[in-house]
Structure formats: C-alpha cells, structure tokens
Amino acid sequence: MRKSNVERRTILVTGAAGSLAKRVIARLHGRYNVVAVDFRRKVETDADIPSYKVDTWKRGFEDIFRNHKIDAVIHIGRMFAHESDRNSRYNANVLGTKKLLELCRKYFVKQVIIHSTYFVYGASAYNPALLDEDAPLKASEVTQDLVDSVELESLAQIYLWKYPELHITILRPCNVLGPGVRNSMSLLLSRPLAPVLVGFSPLMQFLHVDDMADALVLAFERNQPGIYNVAPDDWVAYQVAVEQCGCRKLPVLSIPPFVPRMVSNVLNWNAFFPPYLVNYFKYPVIIDGRLFRETFGWKPRRNLNDIFSYYRKTKLMAA
C-alpha cells in the first residue's frame, strides 16, 4: 500500500542543479517528500517537489526549515574552484555547511548525509598505497585552495561526534564521472586535448555518477552514521584513462614545479586542470572503499569502459 504524503519522510537535497543531485532526487521521488535547494539557480522539478534558490549561509535559508518538516538532509551542494573565488567558496562550502548543521539541530532533523571528496587526503609522494578512513587529511598542507574542503569535513566530523542524534554520514568518493557532471576531472576528459605531466601517470579511481547516486540513497536508507570512502576496487593509470576517453595527450613539463601551474594559468585551464590539483596528476591517491561496500552492501554496477565510453561517444558525435 502506497504511503500518503503525511506519512512519508521529507528529505532536503542541496546542490539540486547538479547532475548527481538530480539523480538522487529522481531516486527519492515517489517514496519520500523531496525539497530541492541550490545556490546557483532555481531548479525545474516535478510539480510536487518544492524548489528554492537560496544561499545556504544566509538568513533566508532557515525559512525552508520553518515551512517544511525536514526529517533528513542530503548535502551535495558544493561550489567548485572554477565557479568562484576562494572567499565565495569558503562562504558556500564552510559557512553554508555550518549554517545547515546548526539548522538541523535547531529543527530536530534526524539524519544528515554529507557528500565530501577524496581530495581531502592530499596528494604526495609519501601517501600509503591504500588510504582508509583513518588517514590524516593533508590536502590543506599541499595547497590553500583545498582548505574549504578540509574545513567542511572537519566541521562535519565535529558534529558527527558531538551530536549523535543527527546521525551524520560522511561520504568521500573518488573521481565521479558521467553525463552532466561538471567537476574538474569530467571537464578535462570531455575535451579533445588533455594535458599530461611528462614522467607521471598516477593510478586513479573512477565512479559513474549513477553509482554515486545509488551510494547516497543507500547511505540514507540504511542509516549507518560514520565516515566512508566510496570507490570501486579497481583503478587505472591516468594516461590510460585519457586514451580510453578519446583524448589526445598534450605533454606538459612537470619540472620545475611551477611550470604546470604557469601553463594552466596562461592557457586559462583553471576549470579542468587547476594549479592546486597538479599534485593529483603526479601522485596516486587510492582510497580503500571496503568499509562502505561491506557496511551497506553496495557494489558499483558500471565498469571503467561504461564510464569512459560516454566521453568517447561525445567526442565522436561532435566530430
């Protein structure tokens, strides 16, 4: 028997304009009441899904909690480096998350899912071969441009341990790719010409956006608070990924260290080859996703060829 709207839980999904959030909303719709929020634009949704354009760090965000009895939050909304300056990113990613968590406490929200990133571990030659959830978050030691990502995580962890009634789950996925995804790696692999650092081809992990959407919904429905890496148990060299996505390689000297940063700035590559991510194209950052897979019974359904074929076909269609 189908539940009435009164009986259904109400889920607030942030970052609703993004490809990942749209997939999450589609999976939740019909089984839960969904409220969509984004700071970029008001998202067109089905008639029974309220949609709001609001900055999460500003006063008006609280009106959504007043007007809807929010039972759970899936926090996907994040400002990428190529979307704005460092100060705006800090406001959106750190202050916005702090405001969100404060409102969750004030309005007795029972569950919060935080979408983080594997970038928080940092990329260096001294990383262990496999990073589990207890590894230190060293990204801010490598570059100031990832400070907001690390602070967002640190803030979420404080609330996770201090306020267990919020049932916070933090997910750290590897590179998420697929149709509509606008992160740096997806933008890079969408191009016909992809930069590669001479002498480097680190191992990388890739996850299809549909599998990540499944992971978020599963984390919500199983409700096992904690911190989890989300990644498949396979990986591939970066330069092989570039070839498999149908890109031509553009070799870039990696020494002296400032050269790739200078090239990225001069050629205006900041959207897909930002200087602060150069180390991630030099050193492997392989995360151990066993804890999430075993806790939630999750397994990705798309393999590497499924992921890369989308980028190959897109280039063929554009040719």
Side-chain angles (χ1 to χ4, degrees), residues 14 17 80 109 113 121 157 166 171 189 196 252 264 275 308 313:
T14 69
F80 294 121
V109 172
I113 311 294
Y121 288 115
Q157 289 188 40
L166 290 177
L171 302 184
L189 295 175
V196 297
V252 176
S264 180
F308 297 152
K313 290 175 183 176

Side-chain angles (χ1 to χ4, degrees), residues 46-305:
D46 289 307
D48 58 343
I49 299 179
S51 178
Y52 300 90
K53 178 187 179 298
V54 61
D55 293 324
T56 53
W57 64 96
K58 294 184 178 178
R59 185 176 299 174
F61 186 42
E62 186 169 357
D63 292 339
I64 296 171
F65 285 80
R66 290 196 187 101
N67 296 332
H68 303 275
K69 176 63 178 72
I70 305 297
D71 297 295
V73 171
I74 301 180
H75 183 37
I76 304 173
R78 175 190 296 273
M79 186 177 287
F80 294 121
H82 59 272
E83 291 181 307
S84 192
D85 57 57
R86 187 184 298 174
N87 187 59
S88 297
R89 289 202 313 274
Y90 188 88
N91 287 340
N93 297 342
V94 180
L95 299 185
T97 299
K98 186 174 189 298
K99 180 70 172 178
L100 173 67
L101 292 171
E102 288 173 351
L103 291 172
C104 286
R105 286 192 65 220
K106 182 176 179 179
Y107 289 91
F108 304 104
V109 172
K110 301 178 182 67
Q111 189 182 2
V112 182
I113 311 294
I114 304 283
H115 178 265
S116 184
T117 171
Y118 84 106
F119 285 148
V120 294
Y121 288 115
S124 79
Y126 305 103
N127 275 343
L130 207 58
L131 291 156
D132 64 21
E133 289 81 358
D134 294 326
L137 309 185
K138 300 186 293 184
S140 56
E141 298 174 11
V142 179
T143 170
Q144 290 298 302
D145 286 292
L146 285 171
V147 166
D148 60 295
S149 295
V150 175
E151 283 203 29
L152 186 159
E153 260 254 12
S154 299
L155 183 67
Q157 289 188 40
I158 290 170
Y159 277 76
L160 166 64
W161 305 121
K162 193 172 181 181
Y163 305 108
E165 67 274 13
L166 290 177
H167 295 94
I168 294 176
T169 302
I170 301 170
L171 302 184
R172 297 172 182 159
C174 62
N175 293 297
V176 176
L177 300 179
V181 177
R182 301 286 297 169
N183 59 34
S184 295
M185 184 61 71
S186 185
L187 292 174
L188 186 153
L189 295 175
S190 297
R191 294 172 60 87
L193 192 65
V196 297
L197 297 181
V198 175
F200 293 94
S201 184
L203 294 175
M204 290 186 177
Q205 292 160 297
F206 300 96
L207 188 63
H208 195 282
V209 62
D210 283 328
D211 286 320
M212 187 60 211
D214 290 340
L216 282 160
V217 173
L218 193 60
F220 159 65
E221 294 186 329
R222 297 285 176 88
N223 194 10
Q224 296 287 330
I227 303 168
Y228 302 93
N229 293 330
V230 184
D233 57 2
D234 60 356
W235 39 81
V236 65
Y238 165 63
Q239 292 202 28
V240 173
V242 167
E243 293 170 355
Q244 290 297 308
C245 288
C247 306
R248 289 181 293 114
K249 299 177 187 176
L250 178 63
V252 176
L253 291 175
S254 58
I255 50 175
F258 69 84
V259 170
R261 293 176 172 82
M262 180 184 69
V263 171
S264 180
N265 286 328
V266 169
L267 297 179
N268 195 27
W269 285 352
N270 290 335
F272 61 91
F273 197 64
Y276 71 89
L277 289 184
V278 164
N279 275 4
Y280 293 84
F281 294 95
K282 293 175 68 176
Y283 309 117
V285 185
I286 302 298
I287 58 177
D288 186 349
R290 285 179 297 175
L291 181 61
F292 184 79
R293 294 197 298 270
E294 293 171 2
T295 302
F296 294 92
W298 172 85
K299 184 179 180 180
R301 293 182 290 169
R302 287 84 177 171
N303 58 33
L304 288 171
N305 185 60

